[in-house]
Coordinates of all heavy atoms in Angstrom, one line a residue:
M58 N 37.9 43.9 -23.6 CA 37.2 44.2 -22.3 C 35.8 44.8 -22.6 O 35.6 45.7 -23.4 CB 38.0 45.2 -21.5 CG 37.5 45.5 -20.2 SD 38.7 46.4 -19.2 CE 37.9 46.7 -17.8
N59 N 34.8 44.2 -21.9 CA 33.4 44.6 -22.2 C 33.0 45.5 -21.1 O 33.4 45.4 -19.9 CB 32.5 43.4 -22.2 CG 32.7 42.5 -23.4 OD1 33.2 43.1 -24.4 ND2 32.5 41.3 -23.3
A60 N 32.0 46.4 -21.4 CA 31.5 47.3 -20.4 C 30.5 46.6 -19.6 O 29.9 45.5 -20.0 CB 30.7 48.5 -21.2
P61 N 30.2 47.1 -18.4 CA 29.2 46.4 -17.5 C 27.8 46.4 -18.1 O 27.5 47.4 -18.8 CB 29.3 47.2 -16.2 CG 30.5 48.0 -16.3 CD 30.9 48.1 -17.7
Q62 N 27.1 45.4 -17.9 CA 25.7 45.2 -18.5 C 24.8 46.4 -18.1 O 24.0 46.9 -18.9 CB 25.1 43.9 -18.1 CG 23.8 43.6 -18.7 CD 23.9 43.5 -20.2 OE1 24.9 43.1 -20.8 NE2 22.8 43.9 -20.9
E63 N 24.9 46.8 -16.8 CA 24.1 48.0 -16.4 C 24.3 49.2 -17.2 O 23.4 49.9 -17.6 CB 24.3 48.2 -14.9 CG 23.9 47.1 -14.0 CD 24.4 47.3 -12.6 OE1 25.1 48.3 -12.3 OE2 24.1 46.5 -11.7
L64 N 25.6 49.5 -17.4 CA 26.0 50.7 -18.2 C 25.6 50.6 -19.6 O 25.0 51.6 -20.2 CB 27.5 50.9 -18.1 CG 28.0 52.1 -18.9 CD1 27.5 53.4 -18.3 CD2 29.6 52.1 -18.8
T65 N 25.7 49.4 -20.2 CA 25.3 49.2 -21.6 C 23.8 49.4 -21.7 O 23.3 50.0 -22.7 CB 25.7 47.8 -22.0 OG1 27.1 47.6 -21.8 CG2 25.3 47.5 -23.5
T66 N 23.0 48.9 -20.8 CA 21.6 49.1 -20.9 C 21.2 50.5 -20.8 O 20.3 51.0 -21.5 CB 20.9 48.3 -19.7 OG1 21.3 46.9 -19.8 CG2 19.4 48.4 -19.8
K67 N 21.8 51.2 -19.8 CA 21.5 52.7 -19.7 C 21.9 53.5 -20.9 O 21.1 54.3 -21.4 CB 22.1 53.2 -18.5 CG 21.5 52.7 -17.2 CD 22.3 53.3 -16.0 CE 21.7 52.7 -14.7 NZ 22.3 53.2 -13.5
V68 N 23.0 53.2 -21.5 CA 23.5 53.9 -22.7 C 22.6 53.6 -23.9 O 22.2 54.5 -24.6 CB 24.9 53.6 -23.0 CG1 25.3 54.1 -24.4 CG2 25.9 54.1 -22.0
N69 N 22.1 52.3 -24.0 CA 21.2 52.0 -25.1 C 19.9 52.7 -24.9 O 19.3 53.1 -25.9 CB 21.0 50.5 -25.2 CG 22.2 49.8 -25.8 OD1 23.0 50.4 -26.6 ND2 22.4 48.5 -25.5
N70 N 19.4 52.8 -23.7 CA 18.1 53.5 -23.4 C 18.3 55.0 -23.8 O 17.4 55.6 -24.5 CB 17.7 53.4 -22.0 CG 17.2 52.1 -21.7 OD1 16.8 51.3 -22.5 ND2 17.2 51.7 -20.4
V71 N 19.3 55.6 -23.4 CA 19.5 57.1 -23.8 C 19.6 57.2 -25.3 O 19.0 58.1 -25.9 CB 20.8 57.6 -23.1 CG1 21.2 59.0 -23.6 CG2 20.6 57.7 -21.6
L72 N 20.4 56.3 -26.0 CA 20.5 56.5 -27.4 C 19.2 56.2 -28.1 O 18.9 56.9 -29.1 CB 21.6 55.5 -27.9 CG 23.1 55.8 -27.6 CD1 24.0 54.7 -28.1 CD2 23.4 57.1 -28.2
G73 N 18.4 55.3 -27.6 CA 17.1 55.1 -28.2 C 16.2 56.4 -28.0 O 15.5 56.7 -29.0
I74 N 16.2 57.0 -26.9 CA 15.4 58.2 -26.7 C 15.9 59.3 -27.6 O 15.1 60.0 -28.2 CB 15.5 58.7 -25.2 CG1 14.7 57.6 -24.3 CG2 14.9 60.1 -25.1 CD1 15.0 57.8 -22.9
V75 N 17.2 59.5 -27.8 CA 17.8 60.5 -28.6 C 17.4 60.2 -30.1 O 17.1 61.1 -30.8 CB 19.3 60.6 -28.5 CG1 20.0 61.5 -29.5 CG2 19.6 61.2 -27.1
A76 N 17.5 59.0 -30.5 CA 17.1 58.6 -31.9 C 15.7 58.9 -32.1 O 15.2 59.4 -33.2 CB 17.4 57.1 -32.1
W77 N 14.8 58.6 -31.2 CA 13.3 58.9 -31.3 C 13.1 60.4 -31.4 O 12.3 60.9 -32.2 CB 12.6 58.3 -30.1 CG 11.1 58.6 -30.2 CD1 10.2 57.7 -30.8 CD2 10.4 59.6 -29.6 NE1 9.0 58.4 -30.7 CE2 9.1 59.5 -30.0 CE3 10.8 60.8 -28.9 CZ2 8.1 60.4 -29.6 CZ3 9.8 61.7 -28.5 CH2 8.5 61.5 -28.8
A78 N 13.8 61.2 -30.6 CA 13.6 62.6 -30.6 C 14.1 63.2 -31.9 O 13.5 64.1 -32.5 CB 14.4 63.3 -29.4
G79 N 15.3 62.6 -32.5 CA 15.7 63.1 -33.7 C 14.7 62.8 -34.9 O 14.5 63.6 -35.8
T80 N 14.2 61.6 -34.8 CA 13.2 61.3 -35.8 C 11.9 62.2 -35.7 O 11.4 62.7 -36.8 CB 12.7 59.8 -35.7 OG1 13.9 59.0 -35.8 CG2 11.7 59.4 -36.8
A81 N 11.5 62.4 -34.5 CA 10.3 63.3 -34.3 C 10.7 64.8 -34.8 O 9.8 65.4 -35.4 CB 9.9 63.3 -32.9
A82 N 11.9 65.2 -34.5 CA 12.3 66.6 -35.0 C 12.3 66.6 -36.5 O 12.0 67.6 -37.1 CB 13.6 66.9 -34.4
G83 N 12.8 65.5 -37.2 CA 12.8 65.5 -38.6 C 11.4 65.6 -39.2 O 11.2 66.3 -40.2
V84 N 10.5 64.8 -38.6 CA 9.1 64.8 -39.1 C 8.5 66.2 -38.9 O 7.8 66.8 -39.8 CB 8.3 63.7 -38.5 CG1 6.8 63.9 -38.7 CG2 8.8 62.4 -38.8
A85 N 8.7 66.8 -37.8 CA 8.2 68.2 -37.5 C 8.8 69.2 -38.5 O 8.1 70.0 -39.0 CB 8.5 68.5 -36.1
G86 N 10.1 69.0 -38.8 CA 10.8 69.9 -39.7 C 10.2 69.8 -41.1 O 10.0 70.8 -41.8
V87 N 9.9 68.6 -41.5 CA 9.3 68.4 -42.9 C 7.9 69.0 -42.9 O 7.6 69.7 -43.9 CB 9.3 66.9 -43.3 CG1 8.5 66.7 -44.5 CG2 10.7 66.4 -43.5
L88 N 7.2 68.8 -41.9 CA 5.8 69.3 -41.9 C 5.8 70.9 -41.8 O 5.0 71.5 -42.6 CB 5.1 68.8 -40.6 CG 4.7 67.3 -40.7 CD1 4.1 66.9 -39.4 CD2 3.7 67.0 -41.8
I89 N 6.7 71.5 -41.0 CA 6.8 72.9 -40.9 C 7.2 73.5 -42.3 O 6.7 74.5 -42.7 CB 7.6 73.4 -39.7 CG1 7.0 73.0 -38.4 CG2 8.0 74.8 -39.8 CD1 7.9 73.1 -37.2
T90 N 8.2 72.9 -42.8 CA 8.7 73.4 -44.1 C 7.7 73.3 -45.2 O 7.5 74.2 -46.0 CB 10.0 72.7 -44.5 OG1 11.0 72.8 -43.5 CG2 10.6 73.2 -45.8
G91 N 6.9 72.2 -45.2 CA 5.8 72.1 -46.2 C 4.7 73.1 -46.0 O 4.2 73.6 -46.9
A92 N 4.4 73.4 -44.7 CA 3.4 74.4 -44.5 C 3.9 75.8 -44.9 O 3.1 76.5 -45.5 CB 3.1 74.4 -43.0
M93 N 5.2 76.1 -44.6 CA 5.7 77.4 -45.1 C 5.7 77.5 -46.6 O 5.5 78.5 -47.2 CB 7.1 77.5 -44.5 CG 7.1 77.7 -43.0 SD 8.8 77.8 -42.3 CE 9.4 79.3 -42.9
M94 N 6.1 76.4 -47.3 CA 6.0 76.4 -48.8 C 4.6 76.6 -49.2 O 4.4 77.4 -50.2 CB 6.6 75.0 -49.3 CG 8.0 74.9 -49.1 SD 8.6 73.2 -49.6 CE 8.4 73.3 -51.4
A95 N 3.6 76.0 -48.7 CA 2.3 76.2 -49.1 C 1.8 77.6 -48.9 O 1.1 78.2 -49.8 CB 1.3 75.2 -48.3
I96 N 2.1 78.2 -47.8 CA 1.8 79.6 -47.5 C 2.5 80.5 -48.5 O 1.9 81.5 -49.0 CB 2.1 79.9 -46.1 CG1 1.2 79.2 -45.1 CG2 2.0 81.5 -45.8 CD1 1.6 79.3 -43.7
S97 N 3.7 80.2 -48.8 CA 4.4 81.1 -49.8 C 3.9 81.0 -51.2 O 3.8 82.0 -51.9 CB 5.9 80.7 -49.8 OG 6.6 81.0 -48.6
M98 N 3.5 79.8 -51.6 CA 2.9 79.6 -52.9 C 1.5 80.3 -53.0 O 1.2 80.9 -54.0 CB 2.8 78.1 -53.2 CG 4.1 77.4 -53.4 SD 5.1 78.2 -54.6 CE 4.7 77.2 -56.0
R99 N 0.8 80.3 -51.9 CA -0.5 80.9 -51.9 C -0.4 82.5 -52.0 O -1.1 83.1 -52.7 CB -1.3 80.6 -50.6 CG -2.6 81.2 -50.6 CD -3.6 80.3 -49.8 NE -4.9 80.9 -49.5 CZ -5.8 80.7 -50.4 NH1 -5.7 80.1 -51.5 NH2 -7.0 81.3 -50.1
R100 N 0.7 83.0 -51.4 CA 0.9 84.4 -51.5 C 1.6 84.8 -52.8 O 1.7 86.0 -53.1 CB 1.9 84.9 -50.4 CG 1.3 84.8 -49.0 CD 2.4 85.3 -48.0 NE 1.9 85.1 -46.6 CZ 2.6 85.3 -45.6 NH1 3.9 85.6 -45.7 NH2 2.1 85.1 -44.3
G101 N 2.1 83.9 -53.6 CA 2.7 84.2 -54.8 C 4.2 84.5 -54.7 O 4.8 85.0 -55.6
E102 N 4.7 84.2 -53.6 CA 6.2 84.4 -53.4 C 7.0 83.3 -54.0 O 6.5 82.3 -54.3 CB 6.5 84.5 -51.9 CG 5.8 85.7 -51.2 CD 6.0 85.7 -49.7 OE1 6.6 84.8 -49.2 OE2 5.5 86.7 -49.1
G103 N 8.3 83.6 -54.2 CA 9.2 82.6 -54.7 C 9.3 81.4 -53.8 O 8.9 81.4 -52.6
S104 N 9.9 80.3 -54.3 CA 10.1 79.1 -53.6 C 11.5 79.0 -53.1 O 12.2 78.1 -53.5 CB 9.7 77.9 -54.5 OG 9.8 76.7 -53.8
E105 N 11.8 79.8 -52.1 CA 13.1 79.7 -51.5 C 13.2 78.6 -50.4 O 14.3 78.5 -49.8 CB 13.5 81.1 -50.9 CG 12.8 81.5 -49.7 CD 11.5 82.3 -50.0 OE1 11.2 82.6 -51.1 OE2 10.8 82.6 -49.0
H106 N 12.1 78.0 -50.2 CA 12.1 77.0 -49.1 C 12.7 75.6 -49.6 O 12.8 74.7 -48.7 CB 10.7 76.8 -48.6 CG 10.1 78.0 -48.0 ND1 10.5 78.6 -46.9 CD2 9.2 78.9 -48.5 CE1 9.9 79.7 -46.5 NE2 9.0 79.9 -47.5
M107 N 12.9 75.5 -50.8 CA 13.5 74.2 -51.3 C 14.8 73.9 -50.7 O 15.1 72.7 -50.3 CB 13.6 74.1 -52.8 CG 12.2 74.1 -53.5 SD 11.2 72.7 -53.0 CE 12.0 71.4 -53.8
G108 N 15.7 74.9 -50.5 CA 16.9 74.7 -49.8 C 16.7 74.3 -48.4 O 17.4 73.4 -47.9
R109 N 15.8 74.9 -47.7 CA 15.4 74.6 -46.4 C 15.0 73.1 -46.3 O 15.3 72.4 -45.4 CB 14.4 75.5 -45.8 CG 14.2 75.4 -44.3 CD 13.3 76.5 -43.8 NE 13.9 77.8 -44.0 CZ 13.2 78.9 -44.0 NH1 11.8 78.9 -43.9 NH2 13.7 80.1 -44.3
L110 N 14.1 72.7 -47.2 CA 13.6 71.3 -47.2 C 14.8 70.3 -47.5 O 14.8 69.3 -46.8 CB 12.6 71.1 -48.3 CG 12.0 69.8 -48.4 CD1 11.2 69.4 -47.2 CD2 11.0 69.7 -49.6
G111 N 15.7 70.7 -48.3 CA 16.9 69.9 -48.6 C 17.7 69.7 -47.3 O 18.2 68.6 -47.0
M112 N 17.9 70.8 -46.5 CA 18.6 70.7 -45.3 C 17.9 69.8 -44.3 O 18.5 69.0 -43.6 CB 18.9 72.0 -44.7 CG 19.8 72.9 -45.5 SD 20.1 74.6 -45.0 CE 20.2 74.4 -43.2
V113 N 16.6 69.9 -44.2 CA 15.8 69.1 -43.3 C 15.9 67.6 -43.6 O 16.1 66.8 -42.8 CB 14.3 69.5 -43.2 CG1 13.4 68.5 -42.5 CG2 14.2 70.9 -42.6
L114 N 15.8 67.3 -44.9 CA 15.9 66.0 -45.4 C 17.3 65.4 -45.2 O 17.4 64.2 -44.9 CB 15.4 65.8 -46.8 CG 13.9 66.1 -47.1 CD1 13.6 66.0 -48.6 CD2 13.1 65.1 -46.3
G115 N 18.3 66.2 -45.4 CA 19.7 65.8 -45.1 C 19.9 65.4 -43.6 O 20.5 64.5 -43.3
G116 N 19.3 66.3 -42.8 CA 19.3 66.0 -41.4 C 18.6 64.6 -41.0 O 19.1 63.9 -40.2
C117 N 17.5 64.4 -41.7 CA 16.8 63.1 -41.4 C 17.6 62.0 -41.8 O 17.6 60.9 -41.1 CB 15.4 63.1 -42.2 SG 14.2 64.3 -41.6
V118 N 18.3 62.0 -42.9 CA 19.2 61.0 -43.4 C 20.3 60.8 -42.4 O 20.7 59.7 -42.1 CB 19.7 61.3 -44.8 CG1 20.8 60.3 -45.2 CG2 18.6 61.2 -45.8
L119 N 20.9 61.8 -41.9 CA 22.0 61.7 -41.0 C 21.5 61.1 -39.7 O 22.2 60.2 -39.2 CB 22.5 63.1 -40.7 CG 23.7 63.2 -39.7 CD1 24.9 62.5 -40.3 CD2 24.0 64.7 -39.4
V120 N 20.3 61.5 -39.2 CA 19.8 60.8 -37.9 C 19.5 59.4 -38.2 O 19.8 58.5 -37.3 CB 18.6 61.6 -37.4 CG1 17.8 60.8 -36.4 CG2 19.0 63.0 -36.9
A121 N 19.0 59.0 -39.4 CA 18.6 57.7 -39.6 C 19.8 56.7 -39.8 O 19.7 55.6 -39.4 CB 17.7 57.6 -40.9
T122 N 20.9 57.3 -40.2 CA 22.1 56.4 -40.5 C 23.1 56.5 -39.3 O 23.9 55.6 -39.3 CB 22.8 56.9 -41.8 OG1 23.2 58.2 -41.7 CG2 22.0 56.6 -43.0
A123 N 22.9 57.3 -38.4 CA 23.8 57.4 -37.3 C 23.9 56.2 -36.4 O 24.9 55.6 -36.1 CB 23.5 58.7 -36.4
G124 N 22.7 55.7 -36.1 CA 22.6 54.5 -35.2 C 23.3 53.3 -35.8 O 24.2 52.6 -35.2
P125 N 22.9 52.9 -37.0 CA 23.5 51.7 -37.6 C 25.0 51.9 -37.9 O 25.8 50.9 -37.8 CB 22.7 51.5 -39.0 CG 21.4 52.2 -38.7 CD 21.7 53.3 -37.7
L126 N 25.4 53.1 -38.2 CA 26.8 53.4 -38.5 C 27.6 53.2 -37.2 O 28.7 52.5 -37.2 CB 27.0 54.7 -39.0 CG 28.4 55.1 -39.5 CD1 28.9 54.2 -40.5 CD2 28.5 56.6 -39.9
V127 N 27.2 53.7 -36.1 CA 27.9 53.5 -34.8 C 27.9 52.1 -34.4 O 28.9 51.6 -33.9 CB 27.2 54.5 -33.7 CG1 27.8 54.1 -32.3 CG2 27.5 55.9 -34.1
A128 N 26.7 51.4 -34.6 CA 26.7 50.0 -34.2 C 27.7 49.2 -35.0 O 28.4 48.2 -34.6 CB 25.3 49.4 -34.4
F129 N 27.8 49.5 -36.3 CA 28.8 48.8 -37.2 C 30.2 49.0 -36.8 O 31.0 48.1 -36.7 CB 28.6 49.2 -38.7 CG 29.6 48.6 -39.6 CD1 29.5 47.3 -40.0 CD2 30.6 49.4 -40.1 CE1 30.4 46.8 -40.9 CE2 31.5 48.9 -40.9 CZ 31.4 47.6 -41.3
V130 N 30.6 50.3 -36.4 CA 32.0 50.6 -36.1 C 32.3 50.0 -34.7 O 33.4 49.5 -34.5 CB 32.1 52.2 -36.0 CG1 33.4 52.5 -35.5 CG2 32.0 52.7 -37.5
F131 N 31.4 50.1 -33.7 CA 31.8 49.7 -32.4 C 31.4 48.2 -32.0 O 31.7 47.8 -30.9 CB 31.2 50.6 -31.3 CG 31.8 52.0 -31.4 CD1 31.2 53.1 -31.9 CD2 33.1 52.1 -30.9 CE1 31.8 54.3 -31.9 CE2 33.7 53.3 -31.0 CZ 33.1 54.4 -31.5
N132 N 30.8 47.5 -32.9 CA 30.5 46.1 -32.6 C 31.2 45.2 -33.5 O 31.9 45.1 -34.3 CB 29.0 45.8 -32.8 CG 28.2 46.4 -31.7 OD1 28.7 46.6 -30.6 ND2 26.9 46.7 -31.9

């Protein structure tokens, strides 16, 4: 049984907006973490931001693979 075309179109639009927002948040997270790392290095502090950068990059990978993974499972 297939979903109505109107519902499918609306759901796809919402998922597209959420995916775009996730990508924008990932880019902003990488930029902010990079700026914090640069400020810390200039001050001579340790580089504890590498763990934070790893978490941001992990989130980016998760957001990037979520759409194709869901499409593969449900189609």
Side-chain angles (χ1 to χ4, degrees):
M58 184 170 176
N59 292 333
Q62 184 63 30
E63 297 171 357
L64 179 63
T65 305
T66 303
K67 289 179 183 179
V68 169
N69 284 337
N70 285 341
V71 169
L72 289 177
I74 292 169
V75 170
W77 181 86
T80 302
V84 170
V87 170
L88 290 174
I89 291 169
T90 304
M93 291 174 68
M94 289 174 70
I96 291 170
S97 292
M98 293 303 265
R99 182 150 173 88
R100 290 181 186 169
E102 297 173 357
S104 180
E105 70 271 358
H106 299 290
M107 291 304 288
R109 192 174 297 160
L110 181 61
M112 289 175 47
V113 169
L114 293 176
C117 290
V118 168
L119 183 65
V120 167
T122 59
L126 184 61
V127 169
F129 174 75
V130 170
F131 290 108
N132 286 333

